[in-house]
């Protein structure tokens, strides 16, 4: 089954915004063994899209188009696809109701333009958008299926996973899947990881791998191919086991696992509560933890103690300690962790203090410390631990790496204490 | 001058790696007024590339290809382009010398494969790669120029900027640069915005525009073309002025301005300090504000009061109020804003409480409120204001939209009070 992906939008052709949809769809379809032969980006231009459709329909069995389903005049996908298929656009009643409900609840303003988004080519199947007004659809012309999805990435992603992927799997009776497993690590360098896994993976002719780095997280992506699905999965299970053995605690999860997800799962399972005190990360750790559904079960809250005054007033950090060691120090990180635990009565306190840059001066002093110097402390039961880190990169890079390092340190301390840690048992 | 960009590489078509070259080249060429009509990604497959070349050469004056110039068997760009132009590949002596020097200096290993990288289509012009072995070239067929550059982004970028861009500027005698301006708004829907600006922009034959939506921020991207650069800028200045007049306070900035950036600038200029209390946004507002360089000048800190207990203990929200109105209410938002201002002695307190989903139950109760219901309050001097919002989307969408709404409400209140607000004057 050959696939072409067309992304529509002048903001994409001119390079102002990067296309997230094409690569996402390509990866998902490649994983189930489909052959993505081409990705095209065209502007908000009916003639250009029609031409791309013509070219694609001559060689692909499935064409997926994203973008151009909005309410404005430059959204041309609906009309163009209908025209290409030689059918007219008709209003879909259910979609009209969905859009009226969605918008009626939010603004009182007129939404006549949005009703355009309920129109689909005659004879097509509606693909419901559960979180937005841009409905998708599937239409067929000669030997090709054409699927149209909105350009907004979160909406497209949801519709792709809920509707498109099951549809394709059903239709193509795929058995020889290409199977992929990602193993996520923290604290080991990419070249060291590569060295350690190379000999394990290269010994199997059905496996290939690549490494990826993102905000301090180093992942190995392993692909099993050329075998039936069951066999592929068992090969991946086996290699995963070997890699765990080789890398030990560096591995924190697989596939879409995140550090905040792994920590959250542990805390929920062990019925432990957490509070966070952040200086240089400025709320990022709290933000990551509250991205997790149900985080109110374990996350009591956080204090972003950006100024020294807040460190003193809300976290009970002593002025003497600040004067003696400076705010970016082991002592202050420990004091912040104890302070936030004490103030919130959480089981665990986590604290981060550091220099995100671009300059290294500590508040109210002329003392300079190196940009990227970060201390993370946590207190679990009565054990207080602290680690020093050195990161490089931009202000935002340092924030992200420090946040991940803090979550990873907490993960390691928690799993070490897993046995003693059932405070509420 | 019409341009098509072709990126070659199976790691791109299958979505494993994202194409950085296409968007980079597109942006650079759009800025100097060229019209990028299409970007295509094809695999390491001679037939696919040939077809893309055929399609592109029928409508573009310039075709830029990146990738497929490496030393291995799956690097097919050289041969394919030569074949397409009906010429043979010849070895370029200077390139042979360059490659021998480069590799001889680095490894002792054989470099026979790399000598393939010195081959160019007969009659083409070499584009030197100063940091790698993949030489580029320019070849002409009928009305189109074809430029081939390596896929490695850093090499491509250098060669593009050092050779390709000057070549294009020289050749096309570009004076009529296309100028772009983005105007960023918050609080107005895309369709309403479109309606309001359409009549202003469409009256000028040198202007075109598109709208973009991102986490509640709606932007208009206006392009001026077909005139000299000075004239383009003055046309854009004029239309910007008209749009400001038409949209008033909905406009918060232009080009790369963000809501947190605009708020930060105001606070710094007016020497005001801010503290934030966050419930449903979970630290995101603090995180956005601390992404800004120098935020410690005005941002004292934040309290992420995820649990009711922290709302009570750290923000002094009364239990009676929570029992009476529920935590997602005007009353609690106001109490949180006052609480955080009081606790931190900041000039301004900002608070957000709401339901990010996926369910709508308030902590410790069986009361359910709709997902996406959010209250934002701020207190400036002694004025306490609160607004109710309704957002839709995923948990993360709601967090982001609520954070932007909070920053926008603060922006509006601050600019309204700008005259009275010089607390420290």
């Amino acid at each position: 089954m050959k696939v072409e992906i067309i992304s529509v939008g002048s903001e994409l052709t001119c390079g102002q915004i990067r296309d997230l949809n094409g690569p996402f769809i390509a990866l998902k379809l490649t994983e189930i063994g489909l052959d993505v032969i081409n990705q095209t980006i065209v502007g908000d231009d009916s003639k250009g899209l029609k031409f791309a459709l013509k070219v694609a329909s001559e060689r692909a069995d499935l064409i997926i188009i994203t973008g151009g389903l909005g309410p404005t005049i430059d959204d041309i996908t609906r009309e163009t696809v209908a025209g290409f298929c030689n059918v007219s656009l008709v209003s879909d009643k259910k979609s009209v109701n969905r859009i009226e409900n969605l918008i009626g609840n939010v603004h009182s303003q007129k939404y006549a333009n949005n009703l355009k988004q309920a129109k689909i080519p005659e004879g097509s199947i509606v693909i419901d958008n559960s979180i937005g007004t841009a409905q998708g659809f599937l239409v067929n012309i000669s030997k090709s299926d054409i699927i149209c999805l909105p350009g907004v990435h979160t909406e497209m992603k949801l519709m792709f996973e809920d509707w498109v992927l099951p549809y394709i799997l059903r239709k193509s009776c795929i058995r020889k899947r290409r199977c992929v497993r990602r193993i996520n690590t923290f604290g080991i360098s990419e070249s060291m990881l590569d060295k350690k896994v190379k000999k394990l993976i290269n010994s199997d002719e059905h496996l290939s791998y690549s490494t990826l780095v993102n905000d301090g997280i180093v992942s190995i992506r392993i692909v099993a191919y050329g075998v039936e699905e069951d066999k592929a999965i068992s090969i991946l299970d086996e290699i995963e086991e070997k890699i765990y053995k080789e890398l030990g605690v560096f591995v924190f999860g697989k596939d879409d696992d995140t550090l905040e997800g792994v920590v959250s799962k542990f805390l929920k399972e062990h019925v432990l509560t957490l509070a966070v005190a952040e200086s240089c990360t400025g709320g990022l750790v709290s933000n990551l933890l509250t991205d997790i559904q149900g985080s109110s079960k374990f996350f009591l809250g956080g204090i972003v103690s950006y100024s020294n005054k807040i460190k003193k007033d809300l976290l009970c950090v002593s002025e003497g300690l600040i004067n003696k060691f400076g705010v970016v120090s082991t002592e202050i990180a420990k004091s912040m962790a104890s302070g936030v635990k004490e103030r919130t009565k959480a089981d665990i306190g986590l604290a981060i203090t550091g220099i995100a840059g671009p300059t290294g001066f500590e508040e109210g002093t002329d003392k300079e410390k190196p940009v990227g110097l970060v201390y993370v402390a946590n207190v679990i039961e009565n054990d207080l631990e602290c680690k020093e880190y050195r990161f490089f990169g931009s202000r935002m890079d340092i924030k992200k790496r420090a946040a991940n390092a803090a979550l990873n340190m907490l993960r390691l301390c928690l799993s070490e204490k897993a046995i003693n840690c059932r405070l509420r048992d």
Side-chain angles (χ1 to χ4, degrees), chain A:
Chain A
M1 194 172 190
K2 288 189 170 166
V3 187
E4 290 217 20
I5 303 168
I6 302 173
S7 304
V8 182
S10 295
E11 70 282 10
L12 302 174
T13 38
C14 77
Q16 195 199 342
I17 282 184
R18 205 170 291 159
D19 180 30
L20 298 174
N21 297 334
F24 172 85
I25 295 172
L27 193 61
K28 291 285 171 183
L29 295 184
T30 305
E31 280 174 9
I32 59 165
L34 269 58
D35 191 14
V36 178
I37 54 172
N38 212 84
Q39 292 178 40
T40 305
I41 300 175
V42 299
D44 299 316
D45 155 42
S46 197
K47 217 174 121 199
L49 176 55
K50 211 161 195 166
F51 189 81
L53 267 169
K54 186 172 158 286
V55 168
S57 66
E58 280 165 17
R59 52 185 184 181
D61 312 294
L62 172 63
I63 302 164
I64 300 185
I65 303 175
T66 65
L69 297 182
T72 66
I73 191 96
D74 58 0
D75 289 302
I76 46 87
T77 299
R78 248 167 255 290
E79 289 79 357
T80 308
V81 172
F84 181 72
C85 297
N86 258 324
V87 295
S88 43
L89 278 178
V90 292
S91 202
D92 176 60
K93 266 201 182 155
K94 274 195 186 163
S95 299
V96 170
N97 288 340
R98 278 199 63 263
I99 292 167
E100 284 184 343
N101 283 334
L102 203 61
I103 298 198
N105 284 337
V106 179
H107 333 236
S108 55
Q109 73 188 51
K110 286 198 186 109
Y111 46 82
N113 280 343
N114 290 98
L115 290 183
K116 179 183 153 191
Q117 297 181 291
K119 289 195 171 172
I120 56 169
E122 203 165 4
S124 61
I125 303 170
V126 171
I127 305 173
D128 268 330
N129 180 340
S130 61
I131 54 170
T133 53
Q135 295 281 83
F137 55 86
L138 165 83
V139 62
N140 187 279
I141 180 159
S142 65
K143 74 165 191 111
S144 313
D145 272 344
I146 303 175
I147 290 177
C148 294
L149 298 173
V152 176
H153 189 58
T154 46
E155 298 177 10
M156 186 288 303
K157 221 168 133 180
L158 219 60
M159 292 160 78
F160 183 84
E161 280 171 346
D162 288 353
W163 198 98
V164 178
L165 210 50
Y167 169 82
I168 292 171
L169 288 172
R170 221 163 40 231
K171 190 171 163 168
S172 52
C173 310
I174 286 164
R175 251 189 240 102
K176 255 197 187 174
R177 285 176 82 122
R178 177 194 309 229
C179 290
V180 178
R181 183 126 345 142
R182 209 169 70 222
I183 294 175
N184 304 316
T185 73
F186 195 92
I188 184 167
S189 76
E190 188 181 15
S191 56
M192 181 60 80
L193 181 75
D194 189 63
K195 210 174 143 188
K196 280 182 182 281
V197 299
K198 193 187 282 171
K199 56 179 192 295
L200 299 178
I201 297 177
N202 282 351
S203 61
D204 192 318
E205 54 174 341
H206 297 296
L207 292 179
S208 73
Y209 79 101
S210 55
T211 54
L212 288 166
V213 186
N214 197 12
D215 297 331
I217 294 169
V218 184
S219 305
I220 325 154
R221 188 173 175 276
I222 310 166
V223 183
Y225 51 88
V227 288
E228 300 270 310
E229 187 175 355
D230 291 352
K231 175 75 178 158
I233 290 174
S234 81
I235 292 177
L236 287 173
D237 287 345
E238 210 173 292
I239 194 76
E240 187 184 319
E241 189 67 27
K242 281 186 193 163
I243 291 174
Y244 280 147
K245 265 195 195 142
E246 181 71 28
L247 298 178
V249 293
F250 288 122
V251 177
F252 71 81
K254 62 183 179 185
D255 298 332
D256 293 330
D257 286 345
T258 57
L259 283 162
E260 58 272 22
V262 170
V263 166
S264 298
K265 194 163 168 265
F266 187 99
L267 295 174
K268 271 191 245 177
E269 278 175 10
H270 291 75
V271 200
L272 291 166
T273 58
L274 170 69
V276 179
E278 302 185 63
S279 187
C280 66
T281 47
L284 178 55
V285 174
S286 295
N287 185 41
L288 288 170
L289 288 166
T290 57
D291 278 348
I292 307 285
Q293 280 184 17
S295 46
S296 58
K297 291 267 187 302
F298 64 89
F299 181 65
L300 298 186
I303 293 175
V304 183
S305 55
Y306 223 55
S307 70
N308 288 356
K309 197 170 172 318
I310 291 199
K311 287 186 189 76
K312 288 182 275 183
D313 291 354
L314 291 181
L315 295 171
C316 310
V317 174
S318 92
E319 178 136 24
L321 220 51
I322 294 180
N323 291 339
K324 192 165 169 195
F325 299 103
V327 283
V328 180
S329 61
T330 306
E331 290 73 17
I332 300 302
K334 283 184 174 176
S335 174
M336 286 169 65
S338 306
V340 78
K341 178 175 186 291
E342 184 54 36
R343 287 309 302 264
T344 62
K345 308 288 176 222
D347 298 321
I348 299 161
L350 174 67
I352 305 104
T353 179
I355 308 269
T359 63
F361 291 103
E362 296 194 332
E363 188 188 319
T365 71
D366 54 3
K367 275 184 255 173
E368 201 175 354
K369 290 192 178 166
V371 170
L373 175 68
V374 173
Y375 293 90
V376 177
N378 63 39
V379 50
I380 304 175
E381 293 183 285
N382 294 315
D383 289 342
L384 189 50
E385 289 191 44
C386 184
K387 265 192 183 172
E388 181 185 306
Y389 298 86
R390 290 292 285 274
F391 302 107
F392 57 88
S394 69
R395 181 178 171 84
M396 252 118 119
D397 288 338
I398 291 171
K399 281 180 73 177
K400 284 183 196 160
R401 285 164 198 179
N404 279 337
L407 290 167
N408 188 60
M409 177 173 163
L410 181 57
R411 171 184 77 87
L412 292 176
C413 290
L414 286 173
S415 57
E416 213 175 88
K417 284 181 200 294
I419 299 156
N420 308 325
C421 197
R422 298 167 197 274
L423 299 177
R424 295 196 174 164
D425 285 359

